[in-house]
Amino acid sequence: MEDLEFLLKFKGCHFIHSEVNVEFLENMDDFEIREDDVFIVSYPKSGTVWAQHLLSLIYCEEYRKRTANVDTVYRVRHLEYSPDPSDLDRSPSPRLFCSHIPYYLAPRGLKKQKAKIIYLYRNPKDVMCSFFHFSKMLSVLKPSANMEEFMELFLEGKVLGSLWFDHIRGWCEHKSHFNIQFIMYENMIKDLRSSTLKVCKFLGKELSKEDMDAVVSQAMFENMKSDPRANYENVLKRRHDLRRTDGHFLRKGTIGDWKNHMTVAQNERFDKIFQKEMKDFPLKFIWDINEE
Ligand code: A3P
């Protein structure tokens, strides 16, 4: 275990030092997985909160109908950042989780394909820009003065979640060990209904047309941004200490914002590294809102 500024390195992966439960990490392999558990796994800033909201809408009728006022964070629990992990054992089925862990830290039951995993991924330039703003806003992460500085940290994996390339490659290359469906953030932006149908099919959930309409509508960026159950503003209210500067979990929610942040030289350097690291990688990426 290595103690870096703001981060804790545990078995090669960086976690938020002040928030993570080390004892839980040490025993995570034994965390009891149930057949009907569902996990969203993602590298940070790939749309995790969006997917949390989507799962809540799919699984919980009261949430969908707005008769229940429980925040998504209590329904879709963050595996490694739960303040009281014993709570997770006591939760009724089906349990919904999100997590940023690398494939090799997954509990044994997940490696035995006991539960379903949705792996959410996003083009890494937009991930990096989103992460740059998030690290400034959140007091438990190290802020960078500019994109140049943050890009160095990101490309060296000296950030929460460690190296993006390792995370996605690891999950993809070991996918046969898991019951896993890959979902792309950009496809959700371009056609949320199709992505939601894909998620539902994988989860074996059949929604009526009316329910599907309600899910898709409430998961749209603008509707979600104004929904205090979903947009994490309640979390920031409860935990004043988490907010360093103005900012929101739901920031721009688009494809290609990296073009407003990266210089030509930075972009070229990024492309070179991307081509080397992701050679022969089977999943495709979308970098521009107008791209098919
Ligand atoms: P931006 O910072 O680029 O806007 P995570 O939840 O993994 O931290 O990812 C955060 C990113 O997902 C943010 O990206 C956020 O705006 C985006 N996001 C959250 N909800 C969204 C939605 N309904 N539609 C589009 N993007 C969304």
Side-chain angles (χ1 to χ4, degrees):
M1 227 175 326
E2 201 181 329
D3 183 4
L4 298 160
E5 206 183 350
F6 291 92
L7 297 173
L8 175 88
K9 193 170 188 177
F10 177 82
K11 296 191 180 166
C13 184
H14 291 127
F15 295 87
I16 304 177
H17 199 169
S18 58
E19 305 295 309
V20 78
N21 181 330
V22 178
E23 199 189 327
F24 182 66
L25 282 186
E26 275 164 351
N27 296 305
M28 192 141 68
D29 195 36
D30 298 328
F31 179 68
E32 192 72 36
I33 298 294
R34 300 181 197 158
E35 299 280 350
D36 53 3
D37 284 343
V38 178
F39 284 77
I40 301 157
V41 175
S42 59
Y43 185 84
K45 311 320 293 171
S46 304
T48 323
V49 171
W50 192 5
Q52 276 180 286
H53 182 48
L54 199 66
L55 280 195
S56 276
L57 289 166
I58 292 171
Y59 274 86
C60 183
E61 188 178 351
E62 299 85 48
Y63 188 76
R64 193 163 62 235
K65 299 216 156 118
R66 294 176 176 272
T67 49
N69 212 12
V70 179
D71 288 8
T72 42
V73 281
Y74 295 120
R75 194 167 290 110
V76 187
R77 311 296 291 270
H78 202 122
L79 181 67
E80 61 272 26
Y81 293 109
S82 280
D84 179 8
S86 61
D87 238 27
L88 304 177
D89 291 326
R90 287 195 296 267
S91 298
S93 293
R95 296 181 304 179
L96 308 172
F97 296 99
C98 64
S99 175
H100 296 317
I101 50 170
Y103 77 97
Y104 58 84
L105 288 184
R108 207 177 317 116
L110 280 183
K111 291 179 182 139
K112 291 184 179 158
Q113 306 195 332
K114 232 178 152 189
K116 291 184 175 159
I117 302 175
I118 293 163
Y119 186 89
L120 185 63
Y121 67 103
R122 182 183 190 186
N123 89 60
K125 291 180 192 171
D126 280 331
V127 166
M128 182 177 76
C129 293
S130 181
F131 215 154
F132 167 67
H133 290 285
F134 193 63
S135 304
K136 279 212 242 184
M137 179 193 62
L138 222 64
S139 61
V140 290
L141 294 176
K142 185 180 170 194
S144 293
N146 51 46
M147 185 55 84
E148 185 72 21
E149 191 181 303
F150 187 73
M151 186 162 136
E152 285 316 305
L153 295 175
F154 184 80
L155 292 174
E156 286 174 20
K158 291 183 177 165
V159 289
L160 162 66
S162 294
L163 199 58
W164 179 88
F165 302 103
D166 289 346
H167 198 277
I168 190 165
R169 267 201 169 283
W171 279 101
C172 193
E173 281 165 9
H174 296 84
K175 66 177 184 216
S176 62
H177 303 188
F178 300 98
N179 186 357
I180 190 165
Q181 171 73 62
F182 288 80
I183 296 284
M184 194 197 328
Y185 172 91
E186 288 79 3
N187 279 340
M188 287 173 68
I189 296 256
K190 285 181 167 282
D191 187 348
L192 184 53
R193 182 173 292 265
S194 296
S195 295
T196 307
L197 280 167
K198 191 170 175 181
V199 167
C200 284
K201 191 168 175 222
F202 174 63
L203 299 175
K205 299 289 285 182
E206 253 187 63
L207 296 182
S208 67
K209 181 179 174 307
E210 191 190 30
D211 287 341
M212 180 57 77
D213 288 347
V215 170
V216 172
S217 161
Q218 291 184 59
M220 299 299 282
F221 186 80
E222 288 310 327
N223 293 338
M224 188 177 155
K225 197 169 166 63
S226 60
D227 186 344
R229 302 172 308 167
N231 62 15
Y232 269 62
E233 290 298 315
N234 285 344
V235 175
L236 295 175
K237 262 189 214 147
R238 270 194 304 275
R239 292 276 316 267
H240 291 291
D241 58 308
L242 281 182
R243 197 176 228 149
R244 179 189 288 122
T245 62
D246 258 6
H248 305 279
F249 275 72
L250 270 72
R251 193 184 59 92
K252 276 203 174 169
T254 190
I255 309 171
D257 193 35
W258 59 271
K259 292 178 189 172
N260 302 316
H261 289 80
M262 296 170 76
T263 63
V264 172
Q266 283 167 353
N267 188 35
E268 282 174 4
R269 176 162 137 69
F270 198 108
D271 281 344
K272 247 192 203 158
I273 295 172
F274 181 88
Q275 275 149 25
K276 181 169 158 268
E277 296 280 346
M278 302 302 281
K279 199 169 174 286
D280 302 326
F281 190 69
L283 299 175
K284 296 286 163 256
F285 297 91
I286 293 183
W287 307 90
D288 186 289
I289 189 84
N290 298 313
E291 195 178 321
E292 280 308 308

